[in-house]
Amino acid sequence: MQPTSTKPFSYETFPSSGLVAYFSMEIAINPSMPTYSGGLGVLAGDTLRSAADLGVPLVAFTLLHRKGYFQQHLDSAGTQSEDIQPWNPADFCTEEPARITVSVEDRTVIVRAWRYDLVGRYGHTVPIYLLDTDVDGNSGWDRGLTDHLYGGDTNYRLQQEIVLGMGGVRMAHALGHRLNVYHMNEGHAALLVLALLERQLGGGPLGADTEADIEQVRKKCVFTTHTPVPAGHDRFSTEQTIRILGGDRTARLEKQGCFRDGMLNMTLLALRFSRYANGVALQHGKVSREMFPEFAIDSITNGVHAPTWVSEPVQQLLDAHFSSWRRDNLYLRNAIDLPEDEILSAHARSKEALLTEVATRTGLVLNPKVLTLGFARRVATYKRATLMFTDPQRLLEIATAAGGLQILYAGKAHPQDEPGKALIHQVVEDAAKYSNDILRIVYLENYDWALGAMLTAGVDVWVNTPKRPYEASGTSGMKAALNGVPSLSILDGWWIEGCIEGYTGWAIEDGENDAEEANSLYKKLETAVVPLYRDTPEKWARLMRNTLAFNGSYFNTNRMVKQYTRNAYYPVKLIEQTKVEEEAFAD
Ligand SMILES: *Cc1c(COP(=O)(O)O)cnc(C)c1O
């Protein structure tokens, strides 16, 4: 890692004039642009925000998602319905004059790009290009290729991935960028290697690539996997691949060993063509190496962009004591010294803002003094949103002992995820059934960036109950930590690294089944969380500042981007080599 210096990273810090191109299917760019679905997009956005702050020479590519990720509505029974969220790119972005084409199912699709300038703390700009096929000259179908994030079937998805990966590379060159490093954020962008390989071959005869050509591509590519289970990896059938990508290209990828179980596996493709690959937490690196033992896979644990996720009251508190945290998040370690009463009152203001929002949305007036738990995330069955209701009687006893308990839920299920939707239904039903004067359970509609920020800052404890090892990392608990909010969570993903029992939160112990893990959840509430919150506010304050000091100083994208920069983009061993190659930079 870079030594701490008084100056932030600057362009000159880096050995080469080449740029990093960051590719991601979704990026949470701006709270008013519905171009993201959840954790992956928020991580991508936070990565770019930190890259801009640190002066990392980087440009990014994503799709425009003109119809937006959906707005969620829940009826009183908890049935989810979805509305598209069309938005106007011209309100936020500048259209680039460049046009490129990609070939999809034997059709030529024209692609344009909208540029969003993400400006960092010291004025360094990271341009984000949002690729758009809604262009004159394209068929009606093709004009819709960049409309829906994770919409449609796998045919639609593969066509989108051609636009993102192959279109992105071509657009980068059309825009005149000199690129040294291509970072694939998850396998969705893996087809960029095909565009690079074809460039390497100078458009030469198909199938004539040599190991040396592949090596040239590998030298430029870096890949981050986010998926801890085989079923989660993006895959396409041979038939589909031949039909949409073409026979020659399919044969090329097959020859390079990118197929597994008769399917084009985007993770395998990305791994095969990358000089560096990583998982997003220590445990996830390990799990990924087990899934793909033939590859070296490192770990760079995720983070969040601190100034984006620290609430206004906590920002004021930190600024009053050590404003250096904005320049270098490592200084958040200084939170260990914050006055106890001040961290409690800053948190109380965040909590008040959250409860005001709850009242505005639902009409329900919650009590700011009462212990409040938060559980909000993309609703997938492995996250076990109903685990807390395993034994409602015991939950009620806990609420009684605590002098009241409030639980705030939020989360969208993917429109095609019926089990996920059923789970929301169940939580809403349980919330109605078990809520009373002592125990109040609320499900908030339309979990997004803004609501996520309020929840992670305003609740007292952040709860997470994934089934191991399905949580690659998770980042919402990090947002909570940056606000001094402890987690009560299964030891999966980032929490394996972040949990210091009793200091930064509590671990839900591993069990043989859901019931045993629910039992551990209740036990931690009964024996640790409730007594500490109810009886010893000064000890609670110390827990909060420990959380901020230990976890806030580490689980941020400021640290993470420095790791990517030195471990992945510009590892020291490549610097000399890059200097020499710069002379011969062809593009
Ligand atoms: C941070 C965030 C996520 C990711 O949280 P997890 O811990 O991975 O569940 C998802 N959605 C939104 C809106 C977020 O802000």
Side-chain angles (χ1 to χ4, degrees), residues 55 60 130 144 289 469 557 569:
L130 299 96
R289 286 191 292 278
T557 40
Y569 303 158

Side-chain angles (χ1 to χ4, degrees), residues 36 38-39 42 309 376-377 383 447-449 452 471 474-477 479:
Y36 66 96
V42 171
W309 297 103
R377 46 192 45 88
K383 300 205 184 218
Y447 179 49
D448 64 0
W449 176 338
E471 186 93 314
T475 52
S476 55
K479 298 167 192 167

Side-chain angles (χ1 to χ4, degrees), residues 374-390:
F375 185 105
R377 46 192 45 88
R378 185 170 55 85
V379 182
T381 45
Y382 80 84
K383 300 205 184 218
R384 299 188 294 190
T386 52
L387 197 74
M388 241 186 305
F389 302 135
T390 305

Side-chain angles (χ1 to χ4, degrees), residues 30-53:
N30 176 306
S32 306
M33 291 163 64
T35 56
Y36 66 96
S37 135
L40 185 70
V42 171
L43 177 80
D46 282 357
T47 301
L48 301 185
R49 281 179 276 282
S50 279
D53 287 349

Side-chain angles (χ1 to χ4, degrees), residues 522-543:
Y522 293 134
K523 210 160 163 185
K524 286 286 161 85
L525 284 169
E526 291 158 350
T527 60
V529 181
V530 166
L532 197 73
Y533 183 86
R534 185 191 55 204
D535 304 332
T536 52
E538 71 294 344
K539 283 191 183 158
W540 190 270
R542 272 175 244 150
L543 177 91

Side-chain angles (χ1 to χ4, degrees), residues 160-213:
Q160 286 191 317
E161 293 190 7
I162 293 174
V163 176
L164 176 64
M166 305 192 74
V169 168
R170 289 181 188 157
M171 183 57 79
H173 287 96
L175 293 167
H177 288 305
R178 297 171 38 147
L179 301 169
N180 276 3
V181 182
Y182 292 81
H183 185 177
M184 294 169 262
N185 186 45
E186 187 56 314
H188 308 129
L191 289 172
L192 72 84
V193 305
L194 206 48
L196 290 177
L197 188 58
E198 290 175 11
R199 282 186 73 80
Q200 177 65 29
L201 297 174
L206 286 168
D209 52 271
T210 64
E211 247 336 284
D213 295 319

